[in-house]
Amino acid sequence: MKRRDFIKFSALGATALNASRIEGVTQTIFDNKKLFGANRFGPFYANINSGQIVSVSDFEGDKFPNTMNYSLPDAIQNENRVLYPMVRKSYLKAGKPSKNELRGKDEFVRVSWDVALDLAARALKKF
């Protein structure tokens, strides 16, 4: 397997795992899986139960496993993780940065990924 194919495969696995979590796909409690993946810290096995990563095991072929991979379950399933894009209401109405005095007071509204990407692209083009 080529390195590029390996990276693509592991990225797809992580994306699929996160997508199933966000969409609320549930599985039985007896559904235990062990998926192979990799990130910048090296290869690992993700131990999955009911669609959630419960722990990470070292890949036996890795001579120098990195303990940073053990934080993966918390990083993916943390309650502080952004699940969908949010935009300040005044920014969405104006289509441009609103007055600074509204920061911290203005409410946020949920937008689609298409709208969020369009807003981000428009903001980046201004610079």
Side-chain angles (χ1 to χ4, degrees):
M1 179 183 276
K2 293 180 183 175
R3 181 180 183 274
R4 181 137 180 93
D5 294 334
F6 175 77
I7 292 171
K8 281 183 193 177
F9 174 74
S10 58
L12 285 173
T15 303
L17 251 166
N18 204 20
S20 68
R21 183 179 148 273
I22 291 171
E23 295 169 4
V25 175
T26 58
Q27 299 174 351
T28 65
I29 196 164
F30 303 107
D31 185 21
N32 294 318
K33 293 181 183 176
K34 192 173 189 178
L35 291 179
F36 181 73
N39 57 21
R40 64 181 175 208
F41 302 120
F44 59 88
Y45 286 108
N47 303 309
I48 301 165
N49 187 342
S50 299
Q52 301 277 323
I53 297 178
V54 292
S55 65
V56 173
S57 306
D58 295 331
F59 172 62
E60 63 276 354
D62 190 359
K63 293 181 181 179
F64 303 104
N66 193 326
T67 58
M68 293 295 285
N69 280 330
Y70 300 149
S71 66
L72 189 64
D74 187 47
I76 290 177
Q77 292 145 189
N78 194 306
E79 63 187 32
N80 295 328
R81 188 175 174 94
V82 176
L83 298 178
Y84 40 82
M86 302 285 280
V87 178
R88 283 186 17 218
K89 195 173 189 176
S90 59
Y91 184 90
L92 191 60
K93 280 184 180 179
K96 59 183 181 180
S98 58
K99 299 175 183 172
N100 284 337
E101 63 265 8
L102 293 177
R103 288 181 179 248
K105 298 175 187 168
D106 201 5
E107 76 175 277
F108 284 84
V109 292
R110 183 177 176 174
V111 294
S112 70
W113 284 105
D114 289 335
V115 170
L117 290 172
D118 288 343
L119 289 171
R122 209 174 318 139
L124 288 171
K125 285 180 183 177
K126 288 181 184 178
F127 293 107

